[in-house]
Amino acid sequence: MQRQPLPSSLQIRPRRFVLGLAVITAAMLLAAINYGNNLIFLIAFMMIALMINSAWQGWRALSAVTARVMPPEMRPAGAPGSFAIELGTPNRALPPLVVDAGTDRVEPTSATAGNRTTLSLDLPGEPRGYLPLPEITLETPYPLGLWRISRRLSPGIGQWVYPSPEPGEQRGERHSNEASGAQPAMEGDPTRLRGYHPGDPIRHVVFRHYAKSGQLLTRHPESDEEQPDPERIDYASFAGPREVRLSAMTERLMELERVRRPWVLLLPGKEAIWADSSTNRAGRYGAALQQLARFERPRDPQGFDHVPPGESY
């Protein structure tokens, strides 16, 4: 969650009414000078003071507004989303505000109750990747509507968009780390041998078998509750272009996670991510979706992903 004040820039621009009022005030000053009328001088200077003080009070009110952006939930490519922004002021009520995120605009009546409020802003569908949130503009007509006072905020955090899950074609049959038989132990319970899984205790590795065949096997007592071997979600085992493969891998990952089956995600050049009943499944699942989202995406200097122009969902 973003907790620091957001980088911002503040602008003050006159409305058309102010420009007309300034012309009238200038004409009154000329008339007062020509005729030496002190009452017209008083009215003209009061109008000047009103315009200057209005701009000052609006600038102070908008400068006092604090903003905190909450990162949106992960979503599939092409699906719309939303994110929340919390607005507040230290010791006074919020001024009337219009909050504009480029694709969504919240009117002032949604942000005037009390000195703190949370607004939800819509996000359009996006291609996969870790993408920046849009810039946010706060605008207020406070206090008299004479000036257009606005403040642009850069959230500095991103949105996670993973590949859209779609069924895909696999090359050959699905495979997992198969057990390679069972044999009696020298003493104690009989044991079974199966392929090495990341996280298996090193003392269970059968190094003699590895020296002969180059295959890592681990020994497990048959009295232990047998866990199914994790299914390999391997980029190389799926057919089609890159985006088709990633969508199919995402669909298979979500299916395995729904039924709580062990899995291991394998992407070229990336560290394998695996999950079973003994791990933090939620954390591993989120990390796997993030890895799929950013696969082969170049990053900009701010750390966000660069999406080629025209790429579809």
Side-chain angles (χ1 to χ4, degrees), residues 193-212:
L193 301 180
R194 64 161 171 79
Y196 175 78
H197 297 172
D200 283 345
I202 193 68
R203 66 180 183 275
H204 289 176
V205 177
V206 185
F207 289 103
R208 182 180 301 176
H209 187 279
Y210 177 73
K212 293 179 179 179

Side-chain angles (χ1 to χ4, degrees), residues 155-193:
I157 58 177
Q159 48 183 318
W160 285 102
V161 183
Y162 55 82
S164 176
E166 299 287 345
E169 181 183 353
Q170 286 190 271
R171 295 170 175 156
E173 298 180 355
R174 292 176 183 155
H175 60 281
S176 57
N177 296 329
E178 298 293 337
S180 54
Q183 64 181 38
M186 295 300 295
E187 57 184 27
D189 292 335
T191 62
R192 63 185 181 89
L193 301 180

Side-chain angles (χ1 to χ4, degrees), residues 55-187:
W56 165 245
Q57 293 297 332
W59 181 86
R60 284 189 60 202
L62 194 57
S63 297
V65 174
T66 60
R68 184 174 63 178
V69 172
M70 278 70 80
E73 295 183 356
M74 298 180 70
R75 68 184 193 277
S82 64
F83 71 100
I85 177 171
E86 184 184 80
L87 304 172
T89 52
N91 302 310
R92 56 185 298 174
L94 279 170
L97 291 174
V98 176
V99 184
D100 190 346
T103 58
D104 192 20
R105 184 179 175 91
V106 180
E107 294 300 323
T109 54
S110 299
T112 55
N115 65 347
R116 188 167 297 276
T117 190
T118 300
L119 306 175
S120 178
L121 297 169
D122 293 335
L123 292 169
E126 299 279 5
R128 68 174 179 88
Y130 182 61
L131 310 175
L133 288 176
E135 284 193 337
I136 302 163
T137 300
L138 306 181
E139 186 176 305
T140 182
Y142 182 83
L144 300 176
L146 301 180
W147 303 89
R148 181 176 287 109
I149 306 171
S150 61
R151 181 178 164 197
R152 295 181 64 84
L153 308 174
S154 299
I157 58 177
Q159 48 183 318
W160 285 102
V161 183
Y162 55 82
S164 176
E166 299 287 345
E169 181 183 353
Q170 286 190 271
R171 295 170 175 156
E173 298 180 355
R174 292 176 183 155
H175 60 281
S176 57
N177 296 329
E178 298 293 337
S180 54
Q183 64 181 38
M186 295 300 295
E187 57 184 27

Side-chain angles (χ1 to χ4, degrees), residues 47-62:
M47 292 173 66
I48 293 173
L50 179 67
M51 289 186 286
I52 294 175
N53 191 56
S54 176
W56 165 245
Q57 293 297 332
W59 181 86
R60 284 189 60 202
L62 194 57

